[in-house]
PDB file of all heavy atoms in Angstrom:
ATOM      1  N   ASN A  11      -2.169  45.112 -13.737  1.00 87.00           N
ATOM      2  CA  ASN A  11      -2.845  45.577 -12.524  1.00 87.00           C
ATOM      3  C   ASN A  11      -4.329  45.226 -12.525  1.00 87.00           C
ATOM      4  O   ASN A  11      -4.924  45.051 -11.454  1.00 87.00           O
ATOM      5  CB  ASN A  11      -2.631  47.069 -12.325  1.00 87.00           C
ATOM      6  CG  ASN A  11      -1.218  47.386 -11.891  1.00 87.00           C
ATOM      7  OD1 ASN A  11      -0.558  46.571 -11.258  1.00 87.00           O
ATOM      8  ND2 ASN A  11      -0.739  48.554 -12.255  1.00 87.00           N
ATOM      9  N   ASP A  12      -4.927  45.110 -13.714  1.00 86.00           N
ATOM     10  CA  ASP A  12      -6.330  44.692 -13.787  1.00 86.00           C
ATOM     11  C   ASP A  12      -6.491  43.272 -13.251  1.00 86.00           C
ATOM     12  O   ASP A  12      -7.465  42.968 -12.575  1.00 86.00           O
ATOM     13  CB  ASP A  12      -6.840  44.765 -15.228  1.00 86.00           C
ATOM     14  CG  ASP A  12      -6.877  46.193 -15.756  1.00 86.00           C
ATOM     15  OD1 ASP A  12      -6.911  47.137 -14.938  1.00 86.00           O
ATOM     16  OD2 ASP A  12      -6.861  46.360 -16.989  1.00 86.00           O
ATOM     17  N   LEU A  13      -5.517  42.409 -13.550  1.00 84.00           N
ATOM     18  CA  LEU A  13      -5.569  41.037 -13.034  1.00 84.00           C
ATOM     19  C   LEU A  13      -5.416  41.010 -11.521  1.00 84.00           C
ATOM     20  O   LEU A  13      -6.010  40.178 -10.846  1.00 84.00           O
ATOM     21  CB  LEU A  13      -4.453  40.191 -13.655  1.00 84.00           C
ATOM     22  CG  LEU A  13      -4.712  39.608 -15.028  1.00 84.00           C
ATOM     23  CD1 LEU A  13      -3.490  38.830 -15.499  1.00 84.00           C
ATOM     24  CD2 LEU A  13      -5.929  38.726 -15.043  1.00 84.00           C
ATOM     25  N   LEU A  14      -4.615  41.909 -11.014  1.00 87.00           N
ATOM     26  CA  LEU A  14      -4.358  41.931  -9.577  1.00 87.00           C
ATOM     27  C   LEU A  14      -5.582  42.358  -8.768  1.00 87.00           C
ATOM     28  O   LEU A  14      -5.591  42.224  -7.551  1.00 87.00           O
ATOM     29  CB  LEU A  14      -3.158  42.830  -9.268  1.00 87.00           C
ATOM     30  CG  LEU A  14      -1.846  42.381  -9.917  1.00 87.00           C
ATOM     31  CD1 LEU A  14      -0.736  43.377  -9.611  1.00 87.00           C
ATOM     32  CD2 LEU A  14      -1.460  40.978  -9.499  1.00 87.00           C
ATOM     33  N   ASP A  15      -6.602  42.835  -9.457  1.00 88.00           N
ATOM     34  CA  ASP A  15      -7.858  43.187  -8.798  1.00 88.00           C
ATOM     35  C   ASP A  15      -8.863  42.030  -8.813  1.00 88.00           C
ATOM     36  O   ASP A  15      -9.951  42.150  -8.264  1.00 88.00           O
ATOM     37  CB  ASP A  15      -8.493  44.401  -9.485  1.00 88.00           C
ATOM     38  CG  ASP A  15      -7.702  45.677  -9.256  1.00 88.00           C
ATOM     39  OD1 ASP A  15      -6.990  45.762  -8.236  1.00 88.00           O
ATOM     40  OD2 ASP A  15      -7.800  46.598 -10.098  1.00 88.00           O
ATOM     41  N   ILE A  16      -8.502  40.923  -9.455  1.00 91.00           N
ATOM     42  CA  ILE A  16      -9.418  39.790  -9.587  1.00 91.00           C
ATOM     43  C   ILE A  16      -9.044  38.724  -8.555  1.00 91.00           C
ATOM     44  O   ILE A  16      -7.958  38.139  -8.602  1.00 91.00           O
ATOM     45  CB  ILE A  16      -9.369  39.203 -11.015  1.00 91.00           C
ATOM     46  CG1 ILE A  16      -9.788  40.280 -12.019  1.00 91.00           C
ATOM     47  CG2 ILE A  16     -10.256  37.970 -11.115  1.00 91.00           C
ATOM     48  CD1 ILE A  16      -9.597  39.873 -13.464  1.00 91.00           C
ATOM     49  N   LYS A  17      -9.953  38.502  -7.627  1.00 94.00           N
ATOM     50  CA  LYS A  17      -9.708  37.573  -6.518  1.00 94.00           C
ATOM     51  C   LYS A  17      -9.379  36.165  -7.012  1.00 94.00           C
ATOM     52  O   LYS A  17      -8.461  35.526  -6.501  1.00 94.00           O
ATOM     53  CB  LYS A  17     -10.923  37.552  -5.596  1.00 94.00           C
ATOM     54  CG  LYS A  17     -10.753  36.672  -4.385  1.00 94.00           C
ATOM     55  CD  LYS A  17     -11.996  36.669  -3.521  1.00 94.00           C
ATOM     56  CE  LYS A  17     -11.826  35.705  -2.364  1.00 94.00           C
ATOM     57  NZ  LYS A  17     -13.017  35.570  -1.566  1.00 94.00           N
ATOM     58  N   ASP A  18     -10.111  35.663  -7.993  1.00 95.00           N
ATOM     59  CA  ASP A  18      -9.873  34.309  -8.503  1.00 95.00           C
ATOM     60  C   ASP A  18      -8.465  34.171  -9.082  1.00 95.00           C
ATOM     61  O   ASP A  18      -7.814  33.148  -8.898  1.00 95.00           O
ATOM     62  CB  ASP A  18     -10.898  33.938  -9.575  1.00 95.00           C
ATOM     63  CG  ASP A  18     -12.286  33.722  -9.004  1.00 95.00           C
ATOM     64  OD1 ASP A  18     -12.408  33.493  -7.786  1.00 95.00           O
ATOM     65  OD2 ASP A  18     -13.257  33.780  -9.785  1.00 95.00           O
ATOM     66  N   TYR A  19      -8.021  35.202  -9.780  1.00 91.00           N
ATOM     67  CA  TYR A  19      -6.666  35.172 -10.337  1.00 91.00           C
ATOM     68  C   TYR A  19      -5.625  35.110  -9.226  1.00 91.00           C
ATOM     69  O   TYR A  19      -4.691  34.320  -9.285  1.00 91.00           O
ATOM     70  CB  TYR A  19      -6.413  36.390 -11.231  1.00 91.00           C
ATOM     71  CG  TYR A  19      -4.969  36.496 -11.662  1.00 91.00           C
ATOM     72  CD1 TYR A  19      -4.490  35.718 -12.702  1.00 91.00           C
ATOM     73  CD2 TYR A  19      -4.082  37.345 -11.001  1.00 91.00           C
ATOM     74  CE1 TYR A  19      -3.159  35.773 -13.078  1.00 91.00           C
ATOM     75  CE2 TYR A  19      -2.750  37.410 -11.375  1.00 91.00           C
ATOM     76  CZ  TYR A  19      -2.291  36.635 -12.415  1.00 91.00           C
ATOM     77  OH  TYR A  19      -0.972  36.700 -12.777  1.00 91.00           O
ATOM     78  N   LEU A  20      -5.812  35.946  -8.225  1.00 94.00           N
ATOM     79  CA  LEU A  20      -4.858  35.973  -7.117  1.00 94.00           C
ATOM     80  C   LEU A  20      -4.812  34.640  -6.386  1.00 94.00           C
ATOM     81  O   LEU A  20      -3.728  34.169  -6.015  1.00 94.00           O
ATOM     82  CB  LEU A  20      -5.204  37.106  -6.145  1.00 94.00           C
ATOM     83  CG  LEU A  20      -5.006  38.522  -6.681  1.00 94.00           C
ATOM     84  CD1 LEU A  20      -5.522  39.540  -5.680  1.00 94.00           C
ATOM     85  CD2 LEU A  20      -3.553  38.774  -7.020  1.00 94.00           C
ATOM     86  N   GLU A  21      -5.971  34.023  -6.190  1.00 96.00           N
ATOM     87  CA  GLU A  21      -6.028  32.727  -5.517  1.00 96.00           C
ATOM     88  C   GLU A  21      -5.318  31.650  -6.333  1.00 96.00           C
ATOM     89  O   GLU A  21      -4.549  30.854  -5.793  1.00 96.00           O
ATOM     90  CB  GLU A  21      -7.475  32.324  -5.242  1.00 96.00           C
ATOM     91  CG  GLU A  21      -8.122  33.124  -4.129  1.00 96.00           C
ATOM     92  CD  GLU A  21      -9.588  32.770  -3.916  1.00 96.00           C
ATOM     93  OE1 GLU A  21     -10.083  31.791  -4.526  1.00 96.00           O
ATOM     94  OE2 GLU A  21     -10.236  33.481  -3.138  1.00 96.00           O
ATOM     95  N   LEU A  22      -5.574  31.633  -7.648  1.00 95.00           N
ATOM     96  CA  LEU A  22      -4.908  30.653  -8.506  1.00 95.00           C
ATOM     97  C   LEU A  22      -3.400  30.870  -8.526  1.00 95.00           C
ATOM     98  O   LEU A  22      -2.628  29.907  -8.465  1.00 95.00           O
ATOM     99  CB  LEU A  22      -5.449  30.741  -9.937  1.00 95.00           C
ATOM    100  CG  LEU A  22      -6.782  30.068 -10.194  1.00 95.00           C
ATOM    101  CD1 LEU A  22      -7.271  30.366 -11.608  1.00 95.00           C
ATOM    102  CD2 LEU A  22      -6.679  28.571  -9.969  1.00 95.00           C
ATOM    103  N   ASN A  23      -2.997  32.107  -8.607  1.00 93.00           N
ATOM    104  CA  ASN A  23      -1.576  32.424  -8.621  1.00 93.00           C
ATOM    105  C   ASN A  23      -0.915  31.989  -7.311  1.00 93.00           C
ATOM    106  O   ASN A  23       0.178  31.409  -7.320  1.00 93.00           O
ATOM    107  CB  ASN A  23      -1.383  33.925  -8.865  1.00 93.00           C
ATOM    108  CG  ASN A  23       0.043  34.268  -9.167  1.00 93.00           C
ATOM    109  OD1 ASN A  23       0.708  33.591  -9.941  1.00 93.00           O
ATOM    110  ND2 ASN A  23       0.519  35.332  -8.553  1.00 93.00           N
ATOM    111  N   HIS A  24      -1.586  32.231  -6.199  1.00 96.00           N
ATOM    112  CA  HIS A  24      -1.058  31.813  -4.895  1.00 96.00           C
ATOM    113  C   HIS A  24      -0.946  30.290  -4.818  1.00 96.00           C
ATOM    114  O   HIS A  24       0.076  29.756  -4.379  1.00 96.00           O
ATOM    115  CB  HIS A  24      -1.954  32.346  -3.777  1.00 96.00           C
ATOM    116  CG  HIS A  24      -1.551  31.884  -2.419  1.00 96.00           C
ATOM    117  ND1 HIS A  24      -0.422  32.348  -1.780  1.00 96.00           N
ATOM    118  CD2 HIS A  24      -2.101  30.970  -1.589  1.00 96.00           C
ATOM    119  CE1 HIS A  24      -0.308  31.744  -0.613  1.00 96.00           C
ATOM    120  NE2 HIS A  24      -1.315  30.905  -0.478  1.00 96.00           N
ATOM    121  N   LYS A  25      -1.982  29.585  -5.258  1.00 97.00           N
ATOM    122  CA  LYS A  25      -1.960  28.120  -5.245  1.00 97.00           C
ATOM    123  C   LYS A  25      -0.843  27.589  -6.136  1.00 97.00           C
ATOM    124  O   LYS A  25      -0.140  26.631  -5.777  1.00 97.00           O
ATOM    125  CB  LYS A  25      -3.303  27.554  -5.723  1.00 97.00           C
ATOM    126  CG  LYS A  25      -4.411  27.692  -4.719  1.00 97.00           C
ATOM    127  CD  LYS A  25      -5.706  27.149  -5.302  1.00 97.00           C
ATOM    128  CE  LYS A  25      -6.864  27.354  -4.350  1.00 97.00           C
ATOM    129  NZ  LYS A  25      -8.130  26.854  -4.917  1.00 97.00           N
ATOM    130  N   PHE A  26      -0.683  28.195  -7.294  1.00 94.00           N
ATOM    131  CA  PHE A  26       0.368  27.774  -8.222  1.00 94.00           C
ATOM    132  C   PHE A  26       1.747  27.959  -7.606  1.00 94.00           C
ATOM    133  O   PHE A  26       2.588  27.048  -7.655  1.00 94.00           O
ATOM    134  CB  PHE A  26       0.256  28.563  -9.531  1.00 94.00           C
ATOM    135  CG  PHE A  26       1.325  28.228 -10.522  1.00 94.00           C
ATOM    136  CD1 PHE A  26       1.235  27.085 -11.296  1.00 94.00           C
ATOM    137  CD2 PHE A  26       2.426  29.054 -10.683  1.00 94.00           C
ATOM    138  CE1 PHE A  26       2.232  26.765 -12.201  1.00 94.00           C
ATOM    139  CE2 PHE A  26       3.426  28.748 -11.583  1.00 94.00           C
ATOM    140  CZ  PHE A  26       3.324  27.594 -12.350  1.00 94.00           C
ATOM    141  N   ASN A  27       1.985  29.104  -7.017  1.00 94.00           N
ATOM    142  CA  ASN A  27       3.284  29.375  -6.404  1.00 94.00           C
ATOM    143  C   ASN A  27       3.560  28.444  -5.226  1.00 94.00           C
ATOM    144  O   ASN A  27       4.672  27.944  -5.061  1.00 94.00           O
ATOM    145  CB  ASN A  27       3.383  30.834  -5.961  1.00 94.00           C
ATOM    146  CG  ASN A  27       3.490  31.774  -7.133  1.00 94.00           C
ATOM    147  OD1 ASN A  27       3.990  31.420  -8.184  1.00 94.00           O
ATOM    148  ND2 ASN A  27       3.004  32.982  -6.962  1.00 94.00           N
TER     149      ASN A  27
END
Side-chain angles (χ1 to χ4, degrees):
N11 287 332
D12 295 338
L13 278 179
L14 299 177
D15 291 334
I16 299 172
K17 183 181 176 185
D18 289 340
Y19 172 80
L20 292 174
E21 287 177 8
L22 281 174
N23 192 44
H24 176 72
K25 286 178 184 179
F26 178 79
N27 289 332

